[in-house]
């Protein structure tokens, strides 16, 4: 496959005709015979040619645009990442288009396809939790379109990425729960195939091993990233005879699902069940008791992801794997009273 976007010139050279002839054939002009139209269109499909709507509508060069794909724009984390991307891009005269995949693999693939059709200069993406087939990202690589992943990543042999030190942060958070009176810590995460989930679960398990606490697989729940699912899972955990007395939540959505379930069960936080979660949204300081969290420096991650993309756009072929350290913020929900 082509290592860059196929142009009209590429099609013309393959067919031994002028660029004008190829252009007219693709526009179904009467000035070109039917046989030539068929040849041009067949080759265009073979070489994955995409017309550039910006180039078609503007006499000068197309505007500098990068595309961003996020799983859930309404959450604090992704909106903060986007703010970081936009601020960095704006200072370099780039515009940012953003698409919300709503955690859907199909919508994610559609967004990537639309960005290719728009001829954006580069893409920044975070995988949807449904995504298991990476063929659309293989295509991006084969077409030579710069792409940087953040948070949830894949294909590290092809693309740069920006992630948090979720394993280390999860280990410290679990140790904090154990050191402040909790004995049976549960982990409620997202789908196991996501690298982000694997990192945070690994840190949780390492903390248990360090404290020589046997791993109870019944206290490790990895399911859909969804408030209702997390709420139901927490309810089921708390009804067990060996119910947890502390919970580590994978992200805001899961943590608040667990938080509400604990309160609806009539249990006290943190005395009966302590809780700490990832992603420090403003609401963590407004609930009662105030929620302990692991802040992910989302804005900085967005800026760094955009910086890596700009490096690629300027010809840097190196692949980077940047890790942004997280910060544990202890409030009222995690340390039991002694």
């Amino acid at each position: 496959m082509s290592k860059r976007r196929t142009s009209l010139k590429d099609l013309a050279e393959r067919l031994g005709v002028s660029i004008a002839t190829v252009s007219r054939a693709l526009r179904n002009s009467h000035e070109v015979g039917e046989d030539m139209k068929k040849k041009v269109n067949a080759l265009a499909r073979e070489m994955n040619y995409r017309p550039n709507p910006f180039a078609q509508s503007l006499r000068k060069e197309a505007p500098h645009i990068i595309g961003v794909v996020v799983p859930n724009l309404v959450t604090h984390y992704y909106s903060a990442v986007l703010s970081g991307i936009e601020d960095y891009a704006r200072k370099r005269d780039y515009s940012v288009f953003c698409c919300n995949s709503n955690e859907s693999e199909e919508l994610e693939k559609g967004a990537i396809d639309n960005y290719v059709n728009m001829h954006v200069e580069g893409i920044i993406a975070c995988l949807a939790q449904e995504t298991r087939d990476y063929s659309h990202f293989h295509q991006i690589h084969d077409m030579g379109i710069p792409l940087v992943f953040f948070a949830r990543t894949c294909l590290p042999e092809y693309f740069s990425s920006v992630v948090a030190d979720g394993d280390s942060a999860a280990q410290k958070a679990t140790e904090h729960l154990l050191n402040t009176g909790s004995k049976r810590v549960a982990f409620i995460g997202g789908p196991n195939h996501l690298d982000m989930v694997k990192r945070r679960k690994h840190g949780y398990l390492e903390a248990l091993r360090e404290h020589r606490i046997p791993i109870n697989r019944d206290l490790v729940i990895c399911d859909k990233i969804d408030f209702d699912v997390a709420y139901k899972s927490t309810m089921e955990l708390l009804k067990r005879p060996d119910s947890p007395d502390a919970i580590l939540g994978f992200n805001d959505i899961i943590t608040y699902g667990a938080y509400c379930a604990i309160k609806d069960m009539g249990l006290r936080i943190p005395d009966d069940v302590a809780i700490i979660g990832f992603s420090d949204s403003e609401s963590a300081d407004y609930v009662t008791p105030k929620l302990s969290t692991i802040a992910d420096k989302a804005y900085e991650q967005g800026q760094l992801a955009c910086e890596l993309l700009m490096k690629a756009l300027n010809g840097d072929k190196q692949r980077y794997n940047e890790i942004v350290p997280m910060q544990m913020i202890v409030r009222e929900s995690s340390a039991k009273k002694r």
Side-chain angles (χ1 to χ4, degrees):
M1 297 181 70
S2 175
K3 292 297 180 182
R4 60 180 175 80
R5 292 188 180 95
T6 300
S7 66
L8 289 176
K9 181 180 179 182
D10 296 327
L11 299 177
E13 288 179 349
R14 279 282 298 270
L15 292 168
V17 297
S18 68
I19 294 175
T21 296
V22 170
S23 178
R24 293 183 185 116
L26 291 171
R27 288 186 284 111
N28 198 30
S29 170
H30 68 277
E31 299 176 89
V32 179
E34 291 302 317
D35 287 344
M36 180 55 67
K37 288 179 184 177
K38 290 179 181 178
K39 290 180 181 179
V40 170
N41 281 282
L43 184 60
R45 287 191 296 272
E46 177 189 333
M47 297 182 68
N48 200 24
Y49 169 76
R50 308 289 183 101
N52 186 341
F54 294 108
Q56 292 172 343
S57 61
L58 300 173
R59 291 183 178 180
K60 296 183 179 180
E61 66 178 274
H64 296 302
I65 294 174
I66 60 176
V68 179
V69 185
V70 299
N72 190 345
L73 189 55
V74 300
T75 64
H76 168 79
Y77 172 74
Y78 292 113
S79 61
V81 170
L82 182 61
S83 292
I85 293 170
E86 288 178 328
D87 287 351
Y88 193 94
R90 189 181 301 114
K91 292 175 183 177
R92 286 147 186 84
D93 297 322
Y94 274 80
S95 296
V96 177
F97 286 2
C98 183
C99 184
N100 192 353
S101 72
N102 285 313
E103 299 285 11
S104 162
E105 180 177 339
E106 181 180 358
L107 292 179
E108 178 183 277
K109 288 182 175 181
I112 294 296
D113 197 53
N114 286 337
Y115 285 150
V116 173
N117 287 335
M118 290 168 59
H119 285 242
V120 298
E121 295 196 20
I123 297 171
I124 298 174
C126 177
L127 289 176
Q129 64 174 310
E130 289 184 2
T131 301
R132 293 174 180 269
D133 171 26
Y134 306 139
S135 58
H136 48 309
F137 294 117
H138 278 289
Q139 183 184 49
I140 290 296
H141 174 261
D142 290 338
M143 295 178 72
I145 301 173
L147 183 146
V148 173
F149 282 111
F150 72 93
R152 307 177 197 167
T153 72
C154 68
L155 306 177
E157 66 273 25
Y158 295 141
F159 301 111
S160 294
S161 64
V162 176
V163 299
D165 62 338
D167 50 351
S168 175
Q171 183 170 351
K172 291 175 182 176
T174 306
E175 289 173 347
H176 162 70
L177 292 170
L178 294 171
N179 291 335
T180 54
S182 296
K183 300 183 183 304
R184 297 181 306 282
V185 182
F187 174 77
I188 304 181
N192 274 313
H193 69 276
L194 292 176
D195 63 323
M196 191 181 194
V197 174
K198 292 176 182 176
R199 288 192 298 270
R200 295 181 181 183
K201 183 169 68 173
H202 174 75
Y204 157 79
L205 295 173
E206 281 298 299
L208 297 185
R209 294 187 185 101
E210 287 290 325
H211 282 72
R212 300 190 178 185
I213 296 174
I215 295 170
N216 184 347
R217 295 293 175 182
D218 291 332
L219 297 184
V220 182
I221 307 296
C222 290
D223 204 331
K224 186 177 180 181
I225 301 172
D226 178 85
F227 180 94
D228 292 335
V229 171
Y231 181 93
K232 181 180 178 182
S233 295
T234 304
M235 284 285 195
E236 292 173 353
L237 278 173
L238 296 177
K239 291 175 182 177
R240 294 177 55 88
D242 58 344
S243 63
D245 64 352
I247 291 173
L248 172 62
F250 168 73
N251 69 355
D252 277 350
I253 294 172
I254 287 175
T255 302
Y256 280 108
Y259 188 99
C260 290
I262 296 168
K263 301 199 83 174
D264 288 351
M265 288 281 286
L267 299 172
R268 298 167 301 164
I269 300 174
D271 298 341
D272 296 321
V273 185
I275 185 168
I276 187 169
F278 282 85
S279 305
D280 188 45
S281 65
E282 293 180 357
S283 56
D285 208 26
Y286 301 153
V287 295
T288 304
K290 295 180 180 181
L291 182 64
S292 295
T293 56
I294 303 104
D296 45 31
K297 298 183 182 178
Y299 180 86
E300 289 84 349
Q301 288 182 37
Q303 288 214 314
L304 184 52
C306 197
E307 179 184 343
L308 296 185
L309 184 65
M310 294 299 166
K311 284 184 177 181
L313 291 173
N314 290 326
D316 189 343
K317 301 298 183 182
Q318 182 175 339
R319 289 187 296 278
Y320 299 88
N321 181 21
E322 299 290 344
I323 301 175
V324 179
M326 306 178 88
Q327 177 186 5
M328 185 165 63
I329 301 174
V330 177
R331 296 189 178 96
E332 300 169 349
S333 69
S334 57
K336 295 186 184 298
K337 296 174 183 177
R338 295 184 174 183

